[in-house]
């Protein structure tokens, strides 16, 4: 077998020639890590075998940036709501608050519906990346680079969405006011313009979605758990090994100066950090004993150290995601050092 050095692998990738020989070449582990991550950062193109799933997921990912832009620009109707509550007999102020809230609820409905599309996209990717087409997750990630990149992009979007949501209390305030007002209008038999936009049943589901601190991450965690339970013919290791391998790729890229120096921007670092945390949380949900147990294939101490080595302001949300949205952190079997690192 031929062995590439890291530099040779990079050159081969940069000339777009390596995909044609990847099936006949065995890479050293470090070279493979570098090669995989380079493909995620670059424009990894789908092979014919990947194309059907890739195109389905691509439609969803094309809308993801717009969702983040809308969420980042979400200002809420706090002032109108306060004035309406302080002046309950002023019909003009009640109408102004309602008029301000209704279009915002339309946006919140759009975000919720996008979470359902994202979950469906995740199922498609997991189905491809954990199938028995190849014998191990490394081969999947090696030969289905475009799908691995899409999986990483979904996780990056998910963590970014939840970071923005957690710092915007207006979202829940607006939706709570909408539901209270809608209920009062029904009691008084007042026609509620906008009720057709979000009926009561849908409002219940949306309310539960936003009640969670990290709603997109919960959607994906539940979706991954559902995928595993619905595909009992697939060994669970197919899923957990895929997730742990991606976590290892991100950790090594972030902690190795030679690789870290190749990052062209801080946004690349953020991308890698979010993907790492995302796959850890999914792993923790689907693995029988979770990500923090001794038998876990994820180096949790190393991953937490990588996070703590970043500027605090840039990773507090990610550390909180590990603290508060994982399933097994507080298990008795979790190493005390790990718990201490996350305190």
């Amino acid at each position: 077998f031929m062995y590439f050095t890291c530099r040779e692998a990079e050159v081969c990738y940069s000339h777009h020639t390596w995909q044609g020989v990847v099936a006949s070449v065995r890479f050293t582990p470090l070279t493979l890590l570098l090669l995989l991550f380079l493909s995620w950062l670059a424009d990894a193109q789908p092979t014919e075998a990947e194309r059907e799933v890739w195109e389905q997921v691509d439609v969803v990912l094309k809308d993801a940036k717009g969702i983040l832009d809308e969420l980042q620009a979400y200002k809420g109707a706090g002032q109108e709501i306060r004035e309406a509550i302080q002046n309950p007999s002023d019909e003009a102020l009640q109408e102004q608050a309602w008029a301000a809230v209704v279009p915002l609820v339309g946006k919140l409905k759009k975000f919720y519906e996008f979470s359902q599309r994202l979950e469906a996209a995740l199922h498609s990717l997991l189905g491809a990346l954990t199938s028995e087409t190849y014998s191990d997750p490394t081969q999947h990630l090696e030969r289905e680079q475009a799908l691995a990149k899409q999986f990483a992009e979904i996780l990056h979007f998910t963590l970014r969405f939840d970071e923005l949501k957690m710092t915007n209390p207006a979202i829940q305030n607006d939706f709570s006011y909408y539901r209270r007002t809608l209920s009062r209008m029904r009691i008084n038999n007042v026609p509620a313009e906008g009720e057709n936009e979000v009926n009561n049943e849908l409002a219940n589901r949306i309310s539960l979605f936003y009640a969670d601190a990290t709603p997109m991450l919960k959607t994906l965690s539940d979706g991954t758990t559902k995928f595993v339970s619905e595909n009992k013919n697939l060994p669970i290791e197919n899923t957990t090994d895929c997730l742990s391998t991606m976590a290892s790729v991100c950790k090594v890229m972030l902690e190795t100066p030679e690789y870290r120096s190749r990052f062209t921007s801080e946004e690349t670092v953020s991308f890698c950090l979010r993907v790492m945390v995302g796959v850890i949380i999914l792993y923790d949900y689907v693995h029988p004993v979770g990500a923090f147990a001794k038998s876990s294939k994820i180096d949790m101490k190393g991953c937490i150290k990588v996070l703590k080595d970043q500027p605090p302001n840039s990773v507090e949300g990610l550390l909180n995601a590990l603290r508060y949205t994982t399933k097994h952190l507080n298990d008795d079997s979790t190493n005390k050092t790990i718990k201490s690192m996350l305190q």
Side-chain angles (χ1 to χ4, degrees):
F1 291 101
M2 183 191 303
Y3 287 84
F4 285 160
T5 65
C6 290
R7 176 60 184 160
E8 287 166 337
E10 183 181 18
V11 169
C12 188
Y13 180 83
S14 68
H15 289 152
H16 304 285
T17 60
W18 76 272
Q19 282 183 317
V21 299
V22 71
S24 61
V25 176
R26 177 167 294 174
F27 298 97
T28 62
L30 286 179
T31 299
L32 180 57
L33 288 171
L34 175 59
L35 202 55
L36 287 172
F37 199 81
L38 284 172
S39 76
W40 294 357
L41 298 183
D43 185 22
Q45 294 300 307
T47 62
E48 281 307 308
E50 297 172 273
R51 188 166 298 280
E52 182 179 354
V53 172
W54 186 90
E55 288 178 348
Q56 292 172 7
V57 177
D58 187 56
V59 173
V60 178
L61 285 173
K62 280 180 177 174
D63 292 336
K65 185 180 185 304
I67 294 290
L68 288 180
D69 289 343
E70 286 190 56
L71 178 57
Q72 193 156 19
Y74 190 99
K75 300 301 182 188
Q79 182 175 342
E80 292 90 344
I81 291 172
R82 281 192 299 274
E83 290 178 353
I85 291 173
Q86 291 166 4
N87 302 277
S89 60
D90 190 324
E91 288 301 321
L93 289 178
Q94 307 310 308
E95 290 175 6
Q96 286 177 21
W98 182 252
V101 164
V102 167
L104 292 174
V105 168
K107 287 181 183 288
L108 297 181
K109 176 193 174 190
K110 179 180 178 180
F111 300 161
Y112 167 75
E113 289 176 339
F114 185 77
S115 76
Q116 307 306 295
R117 294 174 60 200
L118 200 71
E119 181 182 359
L122 179 77
H123 273 228
S124 296
L125 288 172
L126 285 173
L129 292 170
T130 65
S131 71
E132 297 189 305
T133 306
Y134 302 113
S135 60
D136 62 63
T138 300
Q139 285 187 324
H140 271 290
L141 297 176
E142 180 183 318
R143 301 183 188 190
E144 296 173 328
Q145 304 248 339
L147 299 185
K149 170 73 180 300
Q150 287 184 320
F151 192 17
E153 287 176 336
I154 282 178
L155 291 169
H156 174 260
F157 164 84
T158 296
L159 272 294
R160 181 59 182 146
F161 181 97
D162 287 347
E163 287 168 7
L164 291 171
K165 183 266 178 185
M166 281 192 288
T167 57
N168 195 337
I171 289 173
Q172 284 177 277
N173 292 339
D174 291 348
F175 201 75
S176 294
Y177 178 81
Y178 173 84
R179 297 198 74 190
R180 291 196 307 271
T181 304
L182 196 60
S183 177
R184 187 168 62 249
M185 293 168 85
R186 285 202 192 104
I187 292 171
N188 296 327
N189 293 316
V190 176
E193 181 186 349
E195 183 175 358
N196 292 333
E197 182 75 16
V198 180
N199 61 36
N200 197 48
E201 181 185 349
L202 179 57
N204 287 334
R205 296 201 301 270
I206 294 175
S207 183
L208 285 173
F209 176 75
Y210 287 111
D212 199 278
T214 53
M216 282 290 178
L217 196 51
K218 186 177 190 307
T219 298
L220 292 198
S221 299
D222 290 347
T224 306
T225 303
K226 183 179 178 183
F227 172 83
V228 170
S229 67
E230 290 179 348
N231 292 273
K232 297 187 186 299
N233 58 313
L234 285 176
I236 193 171
E237 290 78 15
N238 288 24
T239 302
T240 55
D241 286 357
C242 174
L243 297 171
S244 62
T245 301
M246 292 181 71
S248 296
V249 169
C250 294
K251 182 181 78 74
V252 171
M253 296 306 302
L254 288 161
E255 71 183 1
T256 308
E258 179 189 353
Y259 297 165
R260 177 72 175 260
S261 66
R262 299 168 190 265
F263 290 177
T264 56
S265 69
E266 283 305 307
E267 184 54 33
T268 303
V269 176
S270 296
F271 176 89
C272 192
L273 289 166
R274 290 184 186 121
V275 173
M276 182 181 75
V277 170
V279 291
I280 288 171
I281 292 170
L282 296 188
Y283 182 101
D284 193 54
Y285 266 82
V286 299
H287 193 280
V289 295
F292 302 96
K294 286 184 179 180
S295 58
S296 168
K297 291 187 178 181
I298 296 178
D299 174 13
M300 284 306 306
K301 290 180 183 177
C303 290
I304 295 169
K305 183 179 184 303
V306 163
L307 286 166
K308 294 215 157 189
D309 284 344
Q310 313 306 314
N313 291 343
S314 67
V315 294
E316 192 59 28
L318 296 177
L319 287 167
N320 283 338
L322 291 178
R323 290 174 183 130
Y324 305 124
T325 66
T326 46
K327 185 177 180 181
H328 293 282
L329 174 61
N330 294 316
D331 289 0
D332 292 338
S333 58
T334 298
N335 186 293
K336 290 181 180 179
T337 303
I338 293 175
K339 289 183 178 180
S340 177
M341 291 175 76
L342 283 173
Q343 282 180 351

